[in-house]
Amino acid sequence: DAPKKHMLTVNWLLNDRPLSMKEELALDVLDHLLLGTASSVLHKKLIESGLGESVCGGGLSGELLQSTFSVGLKGIKPEKVDEVEHLILETLNEIADQGFSNEAVAASINTIEFHLREFNTGSFPRGLSIMLGMLRRWIYDGKPSHGIQFEESLNMLKEELTEGT
């Protein structure tokens, strides 16, 4: 018999009103800083803890009116489950106190901007991707085109981060 293993995710509801495009982009940057790469702070801390086998939860989900953030581990020994939630919350508190380096923020913004401009959908039909990008605004009575227009909001976010506001 294989030993029992558990999975735990900690989840947050992030907003109770529609987010502006700038706020959505800011959350994308934060998500990338936390979980976007193997060296992202929260991802790295979870993996290096040895408490579980792999990170799960998916991070930011912004397809619906109310965005969510989920993170956790799977493959956890039953007696270690409580430690995972504690590690997640402790790490997020440390990040809130210390912040991210300017270089890390700039790298995340560059990555997100590249993905937005490239709009590489792989084998998924590009037209369908554009429609789905528009749909998340449209179904909540927003302007469909706002779902794919990012230039102005991205520039505002970059300017605010440069100014430190």
Side-chain angles (χ1 to χ4, degrees), residues 9-131:
T9 60
V10 183
N11 311 282
W12 290 267
L13 179 64
L14 302 179
N15 59 298
D16 60 357
R17 60 165 178 75
L19 297 172
S20 68
M21 180 57 99
K22 184 182 81 174
E23 290 169 323
E24 288 180 15
L25 288 169
L27 286 174
D28 287 339
V29 171
L30 181 58
D31 182 56
H32 188 265
L33 287 163
L34 293 171
L35 295 170
T37 68
S39 62
S40 295
V41 181
L42 184 55
H43 186 278
K44 185 175 179 179
K45 191 88 160 222
L46 287 168
I47 291 299
E48 289 180 353
S49 73
L51 294 172
E53 295 171 357
S54 63
V55 175
C56 64
L60 179 66
S61 176
E63 292 80 32
L64 301 174
L65 182 62
Q66 294 176 310
S67 297
T68 60
F69 183 81
S70 300
V71 64
L73 283 172
K74 61 182 177 178
I76 308 166
K77 292 179 182 175
E79 64 275 9
K80 300 288 185 178
V81 170
D82 290 339
E83 290 180 46
V84 173
E85 182 175 4
H86 177 75
L87 178 63
I88 291 168
L89 297 175
E90 179 183 32
T91 303
L92 291 174
N93 281 324
E94 287 172 10
I95 293 166
D97 289 341
Q98 298 168 11
F100 298 101
S101 71
N102 291 338
E103 295 80 16
V105 173
S108 288
I109 288 175
N110 287 340
T111 299
I112 289 166
E113 182 174 6
F114 180 79
H115 289 301
L116 288 168
R117 292 188 190 288
E118 182 185 41
F119 199 66
N120 183 355
T121 62
S123 62
F124 196 75
R126 184 171 290 232
L128 192 53
S129 290
I130 292 170
M131 187 224 35

